[in-house]
Amino acid sequence: MSDSTFYNQITETFHWFHQNPELSFEEYETTGRIREFLEYYNIRILDLDLKTGLAAEIQGENDGPVIALRCDIDALPVQEETELPYASAITGKMHACGHDFHTTVMLYVAKKLQEQREHLHGTVKILFQPAEESSVGALEVIKTKVLDDVDGIYGLHTDITLPVGTVGIVSGSVTAAVDRFTVRLTGKGTHAAHPQDGIDPVLTASQIVTLAQSIISRNIDPFSQGLLSITRVTAGNTWNVIPQTAELEGTVRTMGRHNRRLIEERFRTLVQHIALSQGTEAEIDWLAGPPATNNAPCFEPAAAAVAKEQGLKVKTSSPSLGGEDFAFYQEKIPGFFIRIGTGESYPNHHPKFQVDTNALKPAIDYFAALAQKTLLALKSGELIPAQEASDD
């Protein structure tokens, strides 16, 4: 197959996924298309108890260890505004985070590894994971025990800050732990002209919004990374009534376990004491999301060496306070999350986000070669998987 024919084939596959986005845990057609592709190329599909998503397995002709490659397959509730000829055909849904790119890459990595089984020293499992945007899709995959015999795992993500032909590689924390909170405040409603007859939850909410930022500026080390954002404040429904209740919602992002614990503890204390001082009652719901991705340093040499062998440029990735449920895999087995340069674009989750399809083939070649090299390194003992805990 010529390079131009191969490029046309992979871009057509990518276009289909981009035109047919499905939200978290709704990826039925996406899963069906993945299954159809794998069956066509006689790639083994593992029998996992998943509603959407699946896993494939390529077993080499040479004995050896087991590694996994992971991509995510879900889209976002975003109305596309790119005007691309292959723009989303589904109103209000869009692949605005590159998961269509990830899926396409891993399908063709599976195809390439299947064709090169005689050179494969071990087994590669490829996870087509559902519901990354829900932050819990990885947990559903882990429940299937598909990773129980896996020695290490790689993940990928598009990166609009890197040009095509560039990979972002770094050890340690790459993306943040993600926590979400809701605060419900109950006071005593009254006429706005008679505040002395009520207890104003709006005033309490305002003080929480302001003082919560002191946790970041005064309680955590200025050289560490942490963020607290209150993103929704809801209270009242008219101009001349002090309402009975108010509600706040927001998120905390941290890179280390210490700060993650500290911020939650301080936030709970601060909210309760402000509420007490104003005579309101406070109820706090705290939803812990995925931890920080923590790249195992043992995988960095192979990841960088293969990139250079493939003629790709290697950049040190900058950490992001965005979240990534790939981190759940890294709690179970050592793993490494790699960024793939897809050219300048609007940011992830933006209606005009897009990737340069010229990045597809280099990414396919890179991950296929990385899988082969990693298996050899594990088999020879050159690479010994180890996960280092990340803390502040």
Side-chain angles (χ1 to χ4, degrees), residues 53-172:
L54 52 78
E57 181 180 88
I58 301 94
Q59 189 169 3
E61 294 182 5
N62 307 282
D63 292 337
V66 183
I67 64 167
L69 307 175
R70 174 270 204 173
C71 68
D72 35 22
I73 67 174
D74 55 328
L76 287 157
V78 172
Q79 179 62 43
E80 182 160 356
E81 298 177 4
T82 64
E83 299 183 356
L84 291 166
Y86 54 89
S88 171
I90 311 299
T91 301
K93 299 178 185 180
M94 177 191 176
H95 272 294
C97 201
H99 296 188
D100 47 353
F101 180 94
H102 306 161
T103 302
T104 303
V105 167
M106 286 306 171
L107 279 175
Y108 283 91
V109 169
K111 175 180 180 292
K112 191 164 188 175
L113 292 175
Q114 179 76 356
E115 294 167 347
Q116 300 175 350
R117 293 191 309 280
E118 70 273 17
H119 303 301
L120 210 58
H121 291 259
T123 300
V124 179
K125 294 182 179 182
I126 300 184
L127 312 179
F128 296 89
Q129 180 208 300
E132 187 277 333
E133 297 294 353
S134 75
S135 296
V136 296
L139 294 176
E140 295 302 309
V141 174
I142 290 169
K143 287 177 186 176
T144 70
K145 302 186 182 300
V146 68
L147 295 178
D148 284 4
D149 62 346
V150 174
D151 298 297
I153 185 168
Y154 288 108
L156 81 158
H157 206 293
T158 60
D159 192 324
I160 61 167
T161 70
L162 297 176
V164 173
T166 306
V167 295
I169 294 173
V170 69
S171 295

Side-chain angles (χ1 to χ4, degrees), residues 83-324:
E83 299 183 356
L84 291 166
Y86 54 89
S88 171
I90 311 299
T91 301
K93 299 178 185 180
M94 177 191 176
H95 272 294
C97 201
H99 296 188
D100 47 353
F101 180 94
H102 306 161
T103 302
T104 303
V105 167
M106 286 306 171
L107 279 175
Y108 283 91
V109 169
K111 175 180 180 292
K112 191 164 188 175
L113 292 175
Q114 179 76 356
E115 294 167 347
Q116 300 175 350
R117 293 191 309 280
E118 70 273 17
H119 303 301
L120 210 58
H121 291 259
T123 300
V124 179
K125 294 182 179 182
I126 300 184
L127 312 179
F128 296 89
Q129 180 208 300
E132 187 277 333
E133 297 294 353
S134 75
S135 296
V136 296
L139 294 176
E140 295 302 309
V141 174
I142 290 169
K143 287 177 186 176
T144 70
K145 302 186 182 300
V146 68
L147 295 178
D148 284 4
D149 62 346
V150 174
D151 298 297
I153 185 168
Y154 288 108
L156 81 158
H157 206 293
T158 60
D159 192 324
I160 61 167
T161 70
L162 297 176
V164 173
T166 306
V167 295
I169 294 173
V170 69
S171 295
S173 294
V174 180
T175 64
V178 178
D179 295 317
R180 172 182 172 183
F181 59 81
T182 303
V183 178
R184 297 178 184 86
L185 300 169
T186 303
K188 181 180 178 183
T190 186
H191 196 294
H194 307 291
Q196 73 278 6
D197 294 332
I199 299 173
D200 188 354
V202 177
L203 180 60
T204 306
S206 301
Q207 292 176 346
I208 292 171
V209 169
T210 301
L211 290 176
Q213 295 308 317
S214 68
I215 300 172
I216 303 299
S217 66
R218 289 296 176 266
N219 295 134
I220 72 169
D221 186 338
F223 289 99
S224 63
Q225 291 145 323
L227 174 149
L228 189 157
S229 291
I230 294 177
T231 55
R232 180 176 66 84
V233 180
T234 305
N237 54 23
T238 191
W239 67 280
N240 62 349
V241 175
I242 291 175
Q244 179 93 355
T245 62
E247 189 168 280
L248 309 172
E249 189 174 32
T251 185
V252 169
R253 307 296 173 102
T254 49
M255 286 297 195
R257 297 171 189 167
H258 172 73
N259 277 348
R260 192 179 194 186
R261 291 190 298 268
L262 174 64
I263 292 175
E264 180 183 356
E265 290 169 2
R266 288 291 300 128
F267 183 78
R268 288 182 179 277
T269 300
L270 182 143
V271 167
Q272 293 294 350
H273 281 77
I274 292 174
L276 181 64
S277 72
Q278 299 299 312
T280 56
E281 295 181 3
E283 178 186 351
I284 302 169
D285 289 337
W286 193 275
L287 179 62
T293 55
N294 181 31
N295 280 350
C298 60
F299 291 112
E300 183 174 352
V306 171
K308 292 172 183 175
E309 290 167 5
Q310 295 287 316
L312 303 173
K313 294 181 180 177
V314 177
K315 297 284 187 181
T316 301
S317 295
S318 299
S320 165
L321 290 180
E324 173 55 68

